[in-house]
Amino acid sequence: MQLLHIDSAITGQHSVSRQLTARTVAAWVAAHPGTQVDYLDLVAEAPSHFTMDAMAPRTGQTEGLSENQQRENAVSERLVAQFLAADVIVVGAPFYNFGIPTQLKAWVDRIAQPGRTFRYGASGPEGLASGKTVIVASSRGGVYSTSEGGRAMEHQESYLQTVLGFFGVTDVRFVRAEGVAMGPEAKAQALAGAEADIQAHAAAALAEAA
C-alpha cells in the first residue's frame, strides 16, 4: 500500500494540522504494516500558482513549448503522478481565512488534469481517481461545524470534499480539531476530539485489513 502524507501549514512545529497528520499516518501504518509512505511538504516544496505557462500543455499544445512551460509541466506531472500512485492520502489542511492555504490550492490546481484525474463525457464530468482513501486533518482556530452560520463560512473541508469527489474520490474522512485558538481548555478539548477521530479511522483500517 502506498500512502501520500501532505502538509501545508506555514507554522512549522507549532502547527496543529502537522501534528494531526503525523499521528494519523502513524496510526494508519500501525494498522497496515508495510505501508510505503511518501511525504510532500507544500511549504518547503510549494508549486507556483497556476499560470498560462502551467496550463499550456493541458490545452493540447505539445509543440513549441517554452522552457518555462516545460518546467511548469514537469512540476504538474510529478505531482499528479504522485497523487495517482497513492492508495491513501493524508492531507493536512489548516483553516486560513475561511479556506485552505494557497500552497494546498496550488497543489489541487496542478493535479486537476483532464484525462488524468477527471474527464468530460456526454453525461458530464467523470472522476478518474476512484478507489482512494483520503483523510483530511482539519484544524481551525474557531468553531464552524456546529452552526448554520459557521458552516456557511467554511470553505476548507467542504471544498476539499467537493474537488476530491470531482476526481472520483468518494472515501473522504476527516480528523478535525476546531476551536484551537479559543484558549487552553478549548484547544485541549479539540485535540482530544481529533485523537478520537484518529483512533476511529485506525480501528476502521484494522477492520479493513482483517
Side-chain angles (χ1 to χ4, degrees):
M1 181 178 294
Q2 188 73 27
L3 185 151
L4 175 58
H5 175 184
I6 301 174
D7 279 323
S8 64
I10 63 174
T11 47
Q13 64 181 353
H14 303 292
S15 164
V16 170
S17 69
R18 286 176 181 265
Q19 175 183 336
L20 298 181
T21 60
R23 288 282 303 117
T24 300
V25 170
W28 188 276
V29 171
H32 292 276
T35 296
Q36 300 297 308
V37 178
D38 194 9
Y39 182 62
L40 175 61
D41 187 332
L42 288 172
V43 176
E45 299 180 74
S48 60
H49 289 170
F50 205 43
T51 63
M52 280 306 299
D53 279 344
M55 172 67 87
R58 302 193 203 171
T59 62
Q61 181 182 347
T62 57
E63 301 294 331
L65 293 175
S66 70
E67 183 177 331
N68 194 53
Q69 287 171 332
Q70 294 178 49
R71 183 165 52 247
E72 292 296 323
N73 189 52
V75 171
S76 299
E77 178 58 32
R78 174 175 57 84
L79 293 175
V80 76
Q82 185 182 48
F83 172 74
L84 291 173
D87 304 295
V88 181
I89 301 102
V90 176
V91 182
F95 190 67
Y96 292 171
N97 301 315
F98 307 107
I100 60 175
T102 60
Q103 293 89 343
L104 184 54
K105 178 58 167 62
W107 175 78
V108 170
D109 289 339
R110 295 307 186 117
I111 68 169
Q113 296 192 27
R116 305 296 295 281
T117 50
F118 72 94
R119 66 185 173 198
Y120 285 103
S123 57
E126 176 188 355
L128 300 177
S130 61
K132 301 181 185 299
T133 295
V134 175
I135 303 175
V136 176
S138 164
S139 59
R140 301 168 175 174
V143 175
Y144 293 85
S145 67
T146 58
S147 68
E148 184 176 347
R151 288 188 292 272
M153 291 188 288
E154 185 273 301
H155 306 287
Q156 169 210 29
E157 292 180 9
S158 57
Y159 169 74
L160 289 171
Q161 188 151 31
T162 296
V163 74
L164 289 165
F166 186 81
F167 298 156
V169 180
T170 56
D171 185 7
V172 181
R173 313 174 190 185
F174 292 93
V175 170
R176 179 189 297 142
E178 61 179 351
V180 298
M182 297 172 65
E185 185 177 345
K187 182 175 182 178
Q189 185 175 354
L191 292 175
E195 183 62 28
D197 291 339
I198 291 169
Q199 294 307 317
H201 296 320
L206 277 171
E208 292 163 1

